[in-house]
Amino acid sequence: MPRSPIRRRLAEAATALFDERGYDATTVDDIAARAGVSRSTFFRHYRSKEDVIFPEHDALLAKVAARLAASTADTAVVAVCDAVRIVLAHYVDDAEVSLQRYRLVGKVPALRDREIASVARYQRLFREFVADWLDGSPDAALRAELMAASVVAAHNQVLRGWLRAEGRHDPFGPLDHALQYVITTFRHLEKPRGRETSDRVVVAAFRSSASPDTVMDAIRAQLDARPPADR
Amino acid sequence: MPRSPIRRRLAEAATALFDERGYDATTVDDIAARAGVSRSTFFRHYRSKEDVIFPEHDALLAKVAARLAASTADTAVVAVCDAVRIVLAHYVDDAEVSLQRYRLVGKVPALRDREIASVARYQRLFREFVADWLDGSPDAALRAELMAASVVAAHNQVLRGWLRAEGRHDPFGPLDHALQYVITTFRHLEKPRGRETSDRVVVAAFRSSASPDTVMDAIRAQLDARPPADR
DNA sequence: CGCTCAGAAGATACTCAGTCCCATCGCGTC
DNA sequence: GACGCGATGGGACTGAGTATCTTCTGAGCG
């Protein structure tokens, strides 16, 4: 069923009509008529009127989950930050559609709520992933919630900025910048996987009994991983 | 309109029916009938079927906004953390209703989405408040987003725990504990209002090309400002 | 070439949420 | 007792979403 030509026609008809008359003033019959199919057919291809606007979310969620599962990162934050890039990439790949949806969602409260619910699903996925990862450590559930919320918040902030700018700049730089806040906030709360160094990065830098210069370098590296405002 | 006896009757009828037959299997007519009023009257008192489950959210949002506006806290995080207590208090005050709603929401996806949308409104309020407060400082918008998301996440985590435990323990201790993470994470990123201490500990330490010992001390100081679980 | 069978599309009827409008009723006021 | 007014009842209407039945189409096969 994915990517059938009729799905495409329906989506195009819908966006055109939403653009011309607005979301509420457009009925499913209108959409079907413009696409040259029957109302029944519409509901065979989209579960609801809203679904025309928010497609592929399930597939994307699955992709993100797969990425998490395959992650080789040493900490949960890093794994999740890595995974959230997929989401942004998805928006950027379909910039045209994303922008159109953004404009529409800004006007229709029902759609806004729906979008928020979608985002919450990613957040939940992240939360559960992190909770599993951290399982056993103190306040695991709480930290998982905070991490997931922060990563999603960082993503949202960058995405909104990109959308407001009508997709004119590359958003991955800003995303990395934003995620740096999150990573530096949470990374030191975790023990990196595999190694049995019960300490944070900073301390590890000092463990290697190196020259002061080496120490300084390590520390600088640590600092470079921080958000600029902190330097 | 608030607190009319008929509103109460409707709410009681609705919760009873939702409990007996489930949410989807209960029609608005059923509710109205059991409450002994007409369908029209139902919609005069509640905008929608979902509204019977989520009352007072607007009023609560207003209360939270008022608390924020009247805040005397020295940093934005603290102000927001303080405000979020009102939300939890509201749930705890109506423990019976909150628990019933929790059970119902767990079963009906549509209600879950609706609740998420409600929470998003608080988050937005917080975000805008913090963004105003931080206005001008670097990455203000990003930090506002992160702070708001974190405070809400902390609240949600505690609330869910309390609900899962069927309201048997006091949740304000856990809430404060959770908010400590958030406050210690964000507080040092803000200049307390009024005072003019423009640097963070870390920066000062490394700018001065000091001996490794001085560096170590500075880092320890930095670590001491972190959440307890980290030490 | 024509038959068959299955999957996809059309057609129709139904339920129910939500909106609108109008008639009515209770009730206090003048 | 007439008037006004807010709240209620009642009924009509729109539109989303579901279920069911019929019709088409096209691929495979004799």
Side-chain angles (χ1 to χ4, degrees):
Chain A
M1 249 133 291
R3 289 274 146 245
S4 88
I6 183 164
R7 244 180 104 91
R8 193 171 199 81
R9 284 228 308 282
L10 280 167
E12 278 164 17
T15 47
L17 284 167
F18 292 160
D19 209 47
E20 292 168 20
R21 316 182 189 173
Y23 180 80
D24 289 325
T26 302
T27 73
V28 171
D29 289 271
D30 295 338
I31 301 171
R34 173 168 303 204
V37 299
S38 77
R39 189 182 135 83
S40 307
T41 300
F42 175 92
F43 282 108
R44 270 192 204 98
H45 287 272
Y46 293 99
R47 271 185 307 224
S48 73
K49 189 176 158 187
E50 293 180 355
D51 265 3
V52 192
I53 315 290
F54 301 100
E56 329 293 356
H57 254 308
D58 290 343
L60 185 53
L61 202 64
K63 260 172 73 179
V64 172
R67 177 73 156 248
L68 281 179
S71 172
T72 61
D74 62 342
T75 54
V77 218
V78 174
V80 173
C81 285
D82 178 58
V84 87
R85 273 171 245 266
I86 296 182
V87 181
L88 185 62
H90 184 268
Y91 281 89
V92 174
D93 280 349
D94 272 318
E96 199 52 50
V97 175
S98 299
L99 285 167
Q100 211 149 5
R101 176 171 53 224
Y102 175 66
R103 285 187 284 263
L104 195 59
V105 165
K107 280 185 253 174
V108 184
L111 296 180
R112 174 163 287 278
D113 288 356
R114 164 74 182 253
E115 179 157 75
I116 288 167
S118 295
V119 170
R121 267 174 227 126
Y122 295 104
Q123 189 166 328
R124 181 188 179 134
L125 178 67
F126 291 161
R127 168 163 54 85
E128 285 170 355
F129 173 81
V130 178
D132 282 352
W133 186 301
L134 260 47
D135 190 39
S137 63
D139 288 321
L142 173 58
R143 286 153 154 199
E145 185 100 35
L146 289 172
M147 269 190 219
S150 296
V151 171
V152 167
H155 168 271
N156 283 349
Q157 216 275 329
V158 171
L159 176 60
R160 259 208 307 275
W162 179 73
L163 288 167
R164 265 201 299 265
E166 316 233 308
R168 277 190 295 268
H169 58 72
D170 181 279
F172 289 98
L175 180 64
D176 286 336
H177 173 72
L179 291 177
Q180 276 314 317
Y181 274 87
V182 181
I183 290 176
T184 56
T185 300
F186 289 102
R187 181 163 217 167
H188 71 278
L189 289 179
E190 295 185 61
K191 313 179 192 183
R193 274 217 167 154
R195 275 181 281 163
E196 200 34 72
T197 66
S198 58
D199 326 83
R200 334 283 170 274
V201 182
V202 206
V203 184
F206 290 99
R207 270 262 186 78
S208 66
S209 50
S211 69
D213 278 339
T214 319
V215 170
M216 284 302 285
D217 286 345
I219 291 179
R220 266 197 237 283
Q222 158 83 353
L223 281 176
D224 285 341
R226 283 167 189 273
D230 202 18
R231 292 183 222 150
Chain B
M1 243 143 290
R3 289 273 146 244
S4 88
I6 182 164
R7 245 180 103 91
R8 194 171 198 83
R9 284 226 310 281
L10 281 167
E12 278 165 16
T15 48
L17 285 168
F18 292 161
D19 208 46
E20 292 169 19
R21 315 181 191 174
Y23 180 80
D24 289 325
T26 303
T27 72
V28 171
D29 289 270
D30 295 337
I31 302 171
R34 174 170 301 206
V37 299
S38 77
R39 191 182 133 82
S40 305
T41 301
F42 175 92
F43 282 109
R44 270 192 204 97
H45 287 271
Y46 294 99
R47 272 185 307 222
S48 73
K49 190 176 159 188
E50 294 180 355
D51 265 4
V52 192
I53 315 289
F54 302 100
E56 329 291 358
H57 255 309
D58 290 344
L60 184 53
L61 202 65
K63 260 172 72 179
V64 173
R67 177 71 156 252
L68 281 179
S71 171
T72 60
D74 63 341
T75 53
V77 217
V78 174
V80 172
C81 285
D82 178 60
V84 87
R85 273 172 245 265
I86 297 182
V87 181
L88 184 62
H90 182 267
Y91 281 89
V92 175
D93 281 350
D94 273 318
E96 199 53 50
V97 176
S98 299
L99 285 168
Q100 211 148 6
R101 177 171 51 223
Y102 175 66
R103 284 187 284 263
L104 194 58
V105 166
K107 280 186 253 173
V108 185
L111 296 180
R112 175 164 286 278
D113 288 355
R114 164 72 182 253
E115 180 157 76
I116 288 167
S118 295
V119 170
R121 266 173 227 126
Y122 296 104
Q123 190 166 327
R124 182 189 178 133
L125 179 66
F126 292 161
R127 169 163 55 85
E128 285 169 355
F129 173 81
V130 177
D132 282 352
W133 186 301
L134 260 47
D135 191 37
S137 63
D139 288 321
L142 173 58
R143 286 153 153 198
E145 185 99 37
L146 288 172
M147 269 191 219
S150 295
V151 171
V152 167
H155 167 271
N156 283 349
Q157 216 275 329
V158 172
L159 176 60
R160 260 208 306 276
W162 180 74
L163 288 168
R164 266 201 299 265
E166 316 234 308
R168 278 190 296 268
H169 59 71
D170 181 278
F172 289 98
L175 181 63
D176 286 336
H177 173 72
L179 290 177
Q180 273 316 314
Y181 274 86
V182 181
I183 290 176
T184 55
T185 300
F186 288 103
R187 182 162 217 167
H188 72 279
L189 289 179
E190 294 185 63
K191 316 178 191 186
R193 281 218 162 153
R195 273 183 282 165
E196 197 39 66
T197 67
S198 58
D199 334 72
R200 330 276 172 283
V201 187
V202 206
V203 183
F206 290 98
R207 278 256 184 78
S208 64
S209 50
S211 71
D213 279 339
T214 320
V215 171
M216 284 296 288
D217 287 345
I219 290 180
R220 270 198 232 286
Q222 157 82 353
L223 284 175
D224 285 340
R226 287 162 192 273
D230 197 20
R231 293 181 229 150

XYZ file of all heavy atoms in Angstrom, chain A residues 6 36-41 44-45, chain C residues 7-15:
257
model
N -2.365 6.685 -6.148
C -3.621 7.300 -5.733
C -3.472 8.002 -4.383
O -4.062 9.053 -4.137
C -4.730 6.232 -5.692
C -6.063 6.858 -5.329
C -4.381 5.119 -4.757
C -7.204 5.949 -5.659
N -10.437 12.642 -7.874
C -11.107 11.801 -8.865
C -11.412 10.402 -8.382
O -11.513 9.465 -9.166
N -11.554 10.247 -7.068
C -11.900 8.932 -6.523
C -13.098 9.089 -5.595
O -13.563 10.200 -5.348
C -10.729 8.305 -5.763
C -9.545 8.098 -6.666
C -10.368 9.152 -4.560
N -13.548 7.974 -5.076
C -14.706 8.044 -4.195
C -14.259 8.245 -2.748
O -13.107 8.004 -2.389
C -15.521 6.771 -4.301
O -14.882 5.751 -3.578
N -15.203 8.672 -1.976
C -14.986 8.855 -0.549
C -14.453 7.586 0.122
O -13.515 7.625 0.935
C -16.346 9.216 0.047
C -16.348 9.647 1.451
C -17.814 9.895 1.850
N -18.058 9.299 3.139
C -17.757 9.889 4.285
N -17.228 11.092 4.277
N -17.976 9.288 5.415
N -15.039 6.454 -0.256
C -14.584 5.179 0.311
C -13.092 4.993 0.092
O -12.363 4.564 0.986
C -15.322 4.019 -0.339
O -16.708 4.204 -0.259
N -12.687 5.293 -1.131
C -11.284 5.099 -1.477
C -10.375 5.963 -0.613
O -9.298 5.531 -0.201
C -11.070 5.406 -2.963
O -11.896 4.523 -3.716
C -9.632 5.198 -3.353
N -9.801 4.263 2.487
C -8.969 3.075 2.357
C -7.496 3.441 2.379
O -6.654 2.654 2.784
C -9.298 2.337 1.051
C -10.383 1.324 1.277
C -10.531 0.377 0.117
N -11.891 -0.146 0.144
C -12.879 0.318 -0.600
N -12.672 1.295 -1.450
N -14.087 -0.197 -0.484
N -7.190 4.647 1.956
C -5.780 5.036 1.878
C -5.313 5.843 3.081
O -4.126 5.852 3.398
C -5.539 5.819 0.595
C -5.570 4.969 -0.635
N -4.449 4.338 -1.112
C -6.579 4.607 -1.435
C -4.771 3.637 -2.191
N -6.063 3.781 -2.401
P -6.969 -11.431 -2.777
O -5.902 -12.160 -2.072
O -8.324 -11.375 -2.200
O -6.461 -9.954 -3.069
C -5.646 -9.701 -4.210
C -5.977 -8.324 -4.766
O -7.211 -8.382 -5.521
C -6.181 -7.259 -3.692
O -5.560 -6.058 -4.132
C -7.693 -7.115 -3.615
C -8.076 -7.358 -5.072
N -9.451 -7.823 -5.249
C -10.129 -8.744 -4.480
N -11.344 -8.968 -4.911
C -11.478 -8.150 -6.021
C -12.578 -7.964 -6.902
O -13.681 -8.501 -6.878
N -12.280 -7.046 -7.910
C -11.087 -6.381 -8.047
N -10.996 -5.538 -9.062
N -10.052 -6.547 -7.233
C -10.316 -7.445 -6.245
P -5.440 -4.816 -3.113
O -4.006 -4.455 -3.052
O -6.182 -5.130 -1.868
O -6.211 -3.636 -3.868
C -5.938 -3.401 -5.246
C -7.065 -2.599 -5.852
O -8.248 -3.429 -5.956
C -7.470 -1.375 -5.026
O -7.584 -0.253 -5.881
C -8.821 -1.769 -4.426
C -9.369 -2.667 -5.534
N -10.396 -3.596 -5.073
C -10.341 -4.445 -4.002
N -11.421 -5.163 -3.838
C -12.246 -4.773 -4.880
C -13.539 -5.176 -5.272
N -14.260 -6.088 -4.621
N -14.075 -4.573 -6.359
C -13.352 -3.653 -7.004
N -12.129 -3.212 -6.738
C -11.627 -3.814 -5.653
P -7.774 1.227 -5.223
O -6.811 2.105 -5.908
O -7.798 1.123 -3.749
O -9.245 1.630 -5.704
C -9.517 1.745 -7.079
C -11.019 1.774 -7.291
O -11.568 0.551 -6.768
C -11.729 2.916 -6.554
O -12.407 3.738 -7.511
C -12.718 2.234 -5.620
C -12.828 0.832 -6.201
N -13.060 -0.163 -5.153
C -12.224 -0.520 -4.138
N -12.703 -1.454 -3.356
C -13.949 -1.738 -3.888
C -14.961 -2.633 -3.523
N -14.864 -3.446 -2.470
N -16.080 -2.658 -4.289
C -16.162 -1.835 -5.337
N -15.276 -0.952 -5.798
C -14.183 -0.957 -5.009
P -13.224 5.017 -6.899
O -13.134 6.093 -7.901
O -12.834 5.248 -5.505
O -14.711 4.433 -6.903
C -15.265 3.958 -8.118
C -16.704 3.530 -7.912
O -16.727 2.377 -7.026
C -17.600 4.595 -7.255
O -18.822 4.663 -7.982
C -17.800 4.076 -5.826
C -17.687 2.569 -6.010
N -17.187 1.864 -4.842
C -15.966 2.024 -4.247
N -15.787 1.238 -3.214
C -16.957 0.519 -3.125
C -17.346 -0.488 -2.196
O -16.705 -0.946 -1.243
N -18.629 -0.957 -2.461
C -19.434 -0.526 -3.486
N -20.634 -1.091 -3.581
N -19.084 0.412 -4.370
C -17.838 0.887 -4.121
P -19.848 5.872 -7.712
O -20.459 6.244 -9.009
O -19.177 6.902 -6.875
O -20.945 5.147 -6.819
C -21.307 3.811 -7.104
C -22.290 3.310 -6.047
O -21.568 2.615 -4.990
C -23.093 4.423 -5.370
O -24.456 4.052 -5.391
C -22.527 4.486 -3.949
C -22.038 3.057 -3.736
N -20.920 2.926 -2.812
C -19.759 3.656 -2.802
N -18.905 3.307 -1.856
C -19.550 2.267 -1.198
C -19.172 1.460 -0.108
N -18.010 1.580 0.535
N -20.052 0.510 0.296
C -21.225 0.384 -0.358
N -21.684 1.082 -1.401
C -20.786 2.014 -1.776
P -25.574 5.146 -4.946
O -26.715 4.963 -5.852
O -24.946 6.479 -4.759
O -25.999 4.604 -3.503
C -26.105 3.198 -3.302
C -26.255 2.898 -1.824
O -24.940 2.749 -1.209
C -26.984 3.983 -1.019
O -28.057 3.372 -0.334
C -25.909 4.525 -0.080
C -24.996 3.306 0.080
N -23.606 3.606 0.505
C -23.045 2.820 1.485
O -23.626 1.903 2.025
N -21.752 3.163 1.819
C -21.001 4.189 1.269
O -19.848 4.382 1.662
C -21.648 4.967 0.259
C -20.919 6.104 -0.391
C -22.908 4.642 -0.077
P -29.182 4.294 0.376
O -30.485 3.940 -0.232
O -28.753 5.716 0.421
O -29.135 3.693 1.850
C -28.761 2.324 2.044
C -28.243 2.134 3.454
O -26.823 2.458 3.520
C -28.926 3.026 4.497
O -29.196 2.264 5.662
C -27.892 4.106 4.772
C -26.608 3.306 4.625
N -25.418 4.110 4.352
C -25.300 5.153 3.475
N -24.096 5.687 3.443
C -23.383 4.942 4.370
C -22.053 4.998 4.806
N -21.173 5.880 4.346
N -21.669 4.110 5.750
C -22.551 3.231 6.204
N -23.833 3.073 5.879
C -24.180 3.965 4.936
P -30.141 2.878 6.796
O -31.139 1.841 7.090
O -30.552 4.256 6.424
O -29.166 2.991 8.054
C -28.322 1.884 8.386
C -27.220 2.332 9.311
O -26.214 3.028 8.539
C -27.662 3.313 10.398
O -27.533 2.697 11.670
C -26.725 4.498 10.270
C -25.610 3.979 9.375
N -25.023 5.047 8.514
C -23.665 5.362 8.662
O -22.991 4.731 9.486
N -23.122 6.330 7.889
C -23.892 6.986 7.005
N -23.316 7.927 6.268
C -25.278 6.684 6.849
C -25.798 5.717 7.616
P -28.115 3.502 12.955
O -28.718 2.515 13.869
O -28.875 4.703 12.554
O -26.752 4.000 13.614
C -25.688 3.066 13.824
C -24.520 3.795 14.450
O -23.886 4.636 13.448
C -24.924 4.724 15.596
O -24.025 4.527 16.678
C -24.830 6.116 14.989
C -23.727 5.941 13.952
N -23.779 6.860 12.792
C -22.634 7.515 12.410
O -21.581 7.395 12.978
N -22.781 8.339 11.316
C -23.931 8.556 10.582
O -23.939 9.310 9.626
C -25.095 7.832 11.049
C -26.405 8.017 10.331
C -24.968 7.036 12.107
